[in-house]
Structure formats: C-alpha cells, structure tokens
C-alpha cells in the first residue's frame, strides 16, 4: 500500500522539477538581450580600448565562464551539471560574484518577510472565518466580514503604495525603503533587531491586509458546511458550551484544508514578493529577480526560479505524503 502511494508521487515530483528546471533554462534565452555583448558594451562604455583580437578573446572567455559556449544542447547539459553540483555560475551584472552568494544574501530577507506575513494572515483569517460561521447573527462578525471582503479585491501593490505614502511620507513613522537603517551594526543586538522590525512592518502589513481575505473566505466556506453536520447539531442540542462546539467540533474539522493551503504557500516564499519588495526597495528575492530581468542576467534569473520551483514542488510533495496523518479519511492507497 505504501509503495503504491509513495512511488507515483515521487515520480510526479521529479517530473515536475525536471520540466520546471528545463523551462527555467529555455525562457531566459528567449530574451532579446545577450549578456556577453552587454558585458563587452559596458567595458567599451568605460573608455577601455580593445583591439578586435582582444575583444574576441574576452568574448570566448565570458561565454565559457557564463556557460554559454557551444550549441543549445551543450549549454543544457552543462547547465544540469552545474545545477547538480550547486554551481549556477557567476552573476552577469555583479560579476564575478557567484549566483549562489547573491541568493544566500537575499533569501533570509524574503523568508522572514513572507513567513511572517503568511503566518499572521493565516492565523487571523482562520480564526475570523470560524467565528463568522459560528456566530452568524453577530453584528460584529458581519462587520468584520464586510470589511475583509471590501479590502480583498484591492491589488496588494495599491495597499503597499497607500501605506508607504501615509506612514513613511505624510506621517514618517516608518522608513521608506531598505531592510535596516544605514549605520546599524549588523548582528544579534537590540538596535539592529528594532531596525529590522521597523523596516519590515509596512511590507508585512501590506501583504497581511490582503491575504487575510483569502484565508477568511476559505475557512468560512468550509466551516459553513460543517455547522450543518449531525455531530455539530447533536452537540448544540446536548447543551455543550458554545466555545467547545466552536473550537472542538467546527474549527478543528474545518482547519485541515487551511493547513494544506498554508503548507503549499510555504513553498512560494522562495520566490519572493516581487511588487512589495520593489515598492519598499526591500532586499529580497523578488527585488533581486526584478533587477536580473532588467539586466538580462541569465544565471541569476535561473537560480532564483530554480529555488522557487524546487521549493513549491517540495512543499506540495511533503503535504501530499503527510496528508493522511492530517485527515484520517485519506489512506495510503
């Protein structure tokens, strides 16, 4: 039974990763910019005089260094060899810094930002969704639903811009950009931690404000079906305390899809919050990807997208494998 359950899912996982990584190789090469010629143009723009023989030698060296020598198939094989050894080559625009170094520098910012916003929005949305269904006649619950559903359709970059204008420009309570204050000593100290929190507050708030709606709606829809189940009706007829019915009978059974959604969304934290990080100039993966696309940095684009693909696929695999433990109605078969 276990083999029939695990093996097809593992095959599916590796297939998805392989296809995704292949697309990551192909798509950047469809861009009109040529990174080697771009690098040579930068050198020429700096006033360096190079004779044709030197230019050709530099071009060959850069193609070899960037993994762009040979035909498409040869580049593809070289790309997979590098990928399996964890070597994604140097960044074109920040040469000779390796791509892995840039990702390691940006990844903690994105993980912290998105993990905090995802956790906060999940907790608040789940609780409010369960309360709304459990107390259908409550005016406060109806008001909360009205506010959440009114805010949910607003694009999150609009919310980010409004918060930035209000609380960083008109009323400068929080900083406008960056991950921490200039001059702050990086380390585990109170001043640096407070600086991190102040710079991350508005980006997190902008994402939480919009994300709550999705978790609220999902929890409300699932819980609205559960309140009609026989065991909930029987519990109410038996005179059990309302709090026990809400948390032990309704929310406990409705939270399983929420846990699944939370686990799947964990994979997306490796991709970064593109617009939010651009608006707040936050030094995460999204901002790094945006810079790489503008500059046509193949290696950096591929590295960031590979992390995102593997992260999402792995999260989905883990959820799929442990889901029978979360939901007893599902069996390893």
């Amino acid at each position: 039974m276990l083999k029939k359950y695990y093996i097809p899912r593992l095959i599916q996982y590796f297939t998805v990763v392989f296809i995704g990584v292949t697309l990551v190789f192909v798509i950047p090469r469809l861009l009109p910019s040529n990174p080697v010629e771009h690098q040579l143009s930068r050198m020429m723009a700096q006033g360096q005089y190079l004779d044709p023989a030197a230019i050709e030698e530099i071009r060959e060296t850069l193609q070899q260094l960037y993994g762009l020598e040979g035909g498409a198939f040869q580049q593809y094989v070289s790309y997979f060899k590098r990928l399996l050894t964890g070597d994604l080559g140097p960044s074109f625009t920040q040469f000779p810094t390796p791509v892995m170094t840039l990702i390691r520098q940006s990844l903690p910012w994105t993980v912290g930002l998105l993990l905090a916003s995802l956790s906060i929005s999940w907790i608040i949305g789940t609780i409010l969704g369960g309360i709304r269904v459990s107390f259908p006649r409550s005016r406060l619950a109806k008001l909360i639903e009205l506010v959440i559903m009114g805010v949910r359709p607003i694009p999150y970059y609009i919310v980010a811009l409004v918060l930035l204008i209000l609380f960083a420009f008109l009323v400068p309570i929080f900083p406008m950009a960056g991950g921490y204050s200039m001059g702050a000593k990086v380390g585990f100290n109170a001043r640096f931690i407070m600086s991190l929190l102040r710079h991350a507050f508005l980006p997190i708030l902008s994402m939480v404000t919009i994300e709550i709606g999705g978790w609220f709606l999902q929890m409300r829809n699932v819980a609205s079906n559960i309140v009609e189940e026989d065991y909930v009706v029987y519990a109410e007829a038996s005179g059990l305390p309302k709090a026990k019915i809400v948390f032990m009978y309704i929310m406990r059974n409705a939270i399983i899809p929420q846990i699944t959604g939370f686990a799947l969304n964990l994979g997306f934290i490796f991709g970064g919050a593109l617009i939010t990080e651009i608006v707040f100039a936050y030094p995460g993966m999204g901002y790094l990807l945006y810079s790489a696309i503008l500059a046509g940095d193949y290696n950096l684009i591929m590295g960031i997208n590979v992390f995102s693909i593997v992260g999402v696929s792995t999260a989905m695999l883990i959820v799929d494998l442990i889901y029978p433990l979360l939901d007893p109605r599902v069996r390893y078969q």
Side-chain angles (χ1 to χ4, degrees), residues 83-100:
L83 194 62
L84 293 175
T85 58
D87 177 19
L88 294 171
S91 167
F92 299 167
T93 55
Q94 302 186 48
F95 182 83
T97 308
V99 167
M100 291 300 295

Side-chain angles (χ1 to χ4, degrees), residues 134-152:
S134 303
F135 301 93
R137 294 183 178 87
S138 171
R139 292 184 178 179
L140 180 59
K142 291 180 179 178
L143 178 61
I144 292 174
E145 180 181 27
L146 181 64
V147 173
I148 291 177
M149 291 297 98
V151 173
R152 186 170 180 266

Side-chain angles (χ1 to χ4, degrees), residues 194-207:
M194 287 301 299
S195 178
L196 286 179
L197 294 177
R198 290 185 70 248
H199 282 77
F201 183 82
L202 289 182
I204 290 175
L205 180 60
S206 67
M207 289 186 288

Side-chain angles (χ1 to χ4, degrees), residues 122-184:
W122 185 85
I123 293 171
I124 296 175
T126 299
I127 293 175
L128 293 180
I131 291 175
R132 174 65 184 94
V133 173
S134 303
F135 301 93
R137 294 183 178 87
S138 171
R139 292 184 178 179
L140 180 59
K142 291 180 179 178
L143 178 61
I144 292 174
E145 180 181 27
L146 181 64
V147 173
I148 291 177
M149 291 297 98
V151 173
R152 186 170 180 266
I154 301 175
Y156 67 92
Y157 57 85
I158 298 296
V159 175
L161 288 172
V162 170
L163 292 175
L164 184 66
I165 293 171
L166 288 177
F167 299 110
F169 182 72
L170 295 178
V171 184
I173 301 175
F174 298 98
M176 295 187 66
Y180 59 93
S181 302
M182 293 184 64

Side-chain angles (χ1 to χ4, degrees), residues 35-45 55 58-59 62:
V36 173
E37 299 302 327
H38 179 71
Q39 184 73 9
L40 288 172
S41 299
R42 289 177 59 188
M43 296 173 64
M44 299 293 289
I55 292 176
I58 294 174
R59 179 179 287 110
L62 290 175

Side-chain angles (χ1 to χ4, degrees), residues 190-325:
R191 183 182 176 186
F192 181 69
I193 292 174
M194 287 301 299
S195 178
L196 286 179
L197 294 177
R198 290 185 70 248
H199 282 77
F201 183 82
L202 289 182
I204 290 175
L205 180 60
S206 67
M207 289 186 288
V208 168
T209 302
I210 300 301
E211 291 171 359
I212 284 177
W215 299 118
F216 173 87
L217 190 61
Q218 180 174 308
M219 185 66 178
R220 188 196 66 181
N221 293 342
V222 176
S224 62
N225 295 323
I226 291 178
V227 295
E228 299 176 357
E229 294 288 341
D230 293 339
Y231 58 85
V232 176
V233 175
Y234 179 78
E236 292 176 343
S238 301
L240 292 178
K242 186 66 174 179
K244 184 175 183 179
I245 295 174
V246 171
F247 290 100
M248 297 300 296
Y249 288 85
I250 298 176
M251 296 189 67
R252 183 179 180 183
N253 290 282
I255 205 171
I256 294 176
Q258 296 288 94
I259 295 175
T260 304
F262 181 84
L264 293 178
N265 276 275
L266 282 177
F268 290 97
I269 66 177
F270 296 101
L274 182 62
I275 303 298
T276 300
E277 292 181 6
I278 292 173
V279 171
F280 294 99
Y282 203 76
M285 296 281 281
Y287 191 79
L288 187 65
L289 177 61
Y290 174 72
S291 303
I293 292 173
L294 290 181
D297 193 334
Y298 291 1
N299 285 351
L300 192 51
I301 294 172
M302 290 189 297
I304 295 171
N305 281 285
V306 165
F307 262 82
S308 180
I309 290 169
V310 174
V312 174
S313 302
T314 303
M316 293 179 67
L317 175 66
I318 293 173
V319 171
D320 205 11
L321 295 181
I322 68 173
Y323 198 75
L325 301 177

